[in-house]
Amino acid sequence: GDSVTQMEGPVTLSEEAFLTINCTYTATGYPSLFWYVQYPGEGLQLLLKATKADDKGSNKGFEATYRKETTSFHLEKGSVQVSDSAVYFCALNTQAGGTSYGKLTFGQGTILTVHP
Amino acid sequence: DADVTQTPRNRITKTGKRIMLECSQTKGHDRMYWYRQDPGLGLRLIYYSFDVKDINKGEISDGYSVSRQAQAKFSLSLESAIPNQTALYFCATSDQGDTGELFFGEGSRLTVL
């Protein structure tokens, strides 16, 4: 079945450091890929997404590129801020025959803490 | 007000008790989901519903049941709670398009003693 693997956390960085959170996947069909973010005490919210190979999703300074050849969707940010401290989830949504089933498969989450 | 509202936000109960978690949404979406979040395991799908007459099991449905009372309401029940059902539960919605984006509630933290 489909699966998503994220790098082990937690990740601790100083403000303005470069961030990479690795994500790889296995899936049948042609998945769409997502990064969700969960701030303390809140539900998850979509950060960015990519729906086909070589697409780049971006939002709030975060970027991720859909790499079909390496089955990866790594999250990057050039300069993190304290307010980026959160849990980040990589996820996929497999489509088969052009139909989206609307069910996401999530990675285990990576806790990011950014210090001033 | 939040688009996806869960009640209660926190609940402590004892083994063997029946518990219901409720979810209501104002987004007008047909599709609703219940996920469970455990540390180190991410989110796992319990049940999902694509419309009022459609209920489907997810990957971890054992010990849970659901009811879709209306387009806007989707409740999750634990008929006889056990300690390993202690977790953070999320309700989510999505539209019928192929965006795949889910909209989450703020979560219901359940502790079973």
Side-chain angles (χ1 to χ4, degrees), chain A:
Chain A
D2 297 348
S3 67
V4 177
T5 301
Q6 293 181 228
M7 66 183 289
E8 293 289 333
V11 175
T12 302
L13 296 173
S14 297
E15 205 164 28
E16 299 184 1
F18 183 84
L19 169 70
T20 299
I21 301 178
N22 290 338
C23 172
T24 58
Y25 67 90
T26 58
T28 56
Y30 306 96
S32 295
L33 302 174
F34 305 83
W35 278 100
Y36 278 79
V37 59
Q38 183 182 25
Y39 297 105
E42 300 182 9
L44 283 73
Q45 56 186 274
L46 180 66
L47 179 60
L48 53 84
K49 68 180 182 182
T51 58
K52 61 182 186 295
D54 300 324
D55 269 2
K56 176 184 285 187
S58 62
N59 186 27
K60 299 181 181 180
F62 291 88
E63 293 183 339
T65 301
Y66 190 146
R67 302 287 189 196
K68 187 177 180 180
E69 63 276 13
T70 55
T71 62
S72 64
F73 192 55
H74 304 321
L75 182 68
E76 298 181 335
K77 186 174 185 181
S79 176
V80 293
Q81 305 299 312
V82 173
S83 58
D84 294 325
S85 298
V87 184
Y88 292 82
F89 293 91
C90 186
L92 66 81
N93 174 18
T94 302
Q95 298 191 33
T99 299
S100 168
Y101 293 102
K103 301 181 279 113
L104 297 188
T105 298
F106 286 87
Q108 71 268 39
T110 301
I111 300 172
L112 170 66
T113 302
V114 180
H115 293 297

Side-chain angles (χ1 to χ4, degrees), chain B residues 9-28:
Chain B
R9 293 292 311 280
N10 288 283
R11 181 72 183 269
I12 300 173
T13 191
K14 295 182 179 180
T15 298
K17 294 293 187 181
R18 183 178 187 275
I19 295 296
M20 179 180 286
L21 305 179
E22 298 184 332
C23 177
S24 63
Q25 52 112 348
T26 58
K27 298 195 71 67

Side-chain angles (χ1 to χ4, degrees), chain B residues 74-113:
Chain B
F74 191 39
S75 60
L76 176 71
S77 293
L78 289 68
E79 295 300 325
S80 180
I82 56 177
N84 76 1
Q85 291 178 312
T86 294
L88 184 56
Y89 292 85
F90 285 103
C91 175
T93 72
S94 70
D95 63 22
Q96 292 187 13
D98 283 346
T99 65
E101 180 177 359
L102 296 182
F103 296 84
F104 285 84
E106 294 180 321
S108 296
R109 184 168 296 281
L110 176 65
T111 302
V112 184
L113 302 177

